[in-house]
Amino acid sequence: MYNLELFAHRVKKLRRQKKLSQQELGEVLGINQGAISAIESGRRTTTVEKLILLAKFFNVSTDYLLGLKDEP
């Protein structure tokens, strides 16, 4: 089942691995830094469109981001 905390953790981990600021990731997704912060803290989710953008940008599956699979 989908786990918001795991999703938040994986987005943050992937962003840090690419050495991106929240602002830079926000620019990729077309949202502001505050929205990225809210996603990474688990206070906010995202749209399907943004989820797909995240998966493509980080070259991982949406299932990985959602915690349905452990392999990217």
Side-chain angles (χ1 to χ4, degrees):
M1 178 157 212
Y2 171 71
N3 181 328
L4 184 57
E5 288 179 25
L6 186 55
F7 172 71
H9 171 76
R10 288 184 173 173
V11 169
K12 187 174 190 174
K13 179 179 134 189
L14 290 165
R15 177 183 60 79
R16 286 183 168 176
Q17 285 176 346
K18 282 203 173 234
K19 299 182 183 339
L20 295 172
S21 68
Q22 290 179 338
Q23 178 69 35
E24 290 168 324
L25 181 56
E27 289 171 7
V28 169
L29 299 178
I31 58 179
N32 64 35
Q33 178 274 327
I36 296 295
S37 176
I39 289 168
E40 290 183 356
S41 68
R43 295 187 320 264
R44 175 180 170 171
T45 60
T46 190
T47 65
V48 171
E49 292 82 4
K50 301 293 188 212
L51 176 65
I52 292 167
L53 279 174
L54 280 167
K56 286 182 178 182
F57 180 75
F58 289 123
N59 196 30
V60 297
S61 71
T62 55
D63 283 353
Y64 173 76
L65 288 172
L66 295 173
L68 301 174
K69 291 187 178 181
D70 289 330
E71 294 109 30

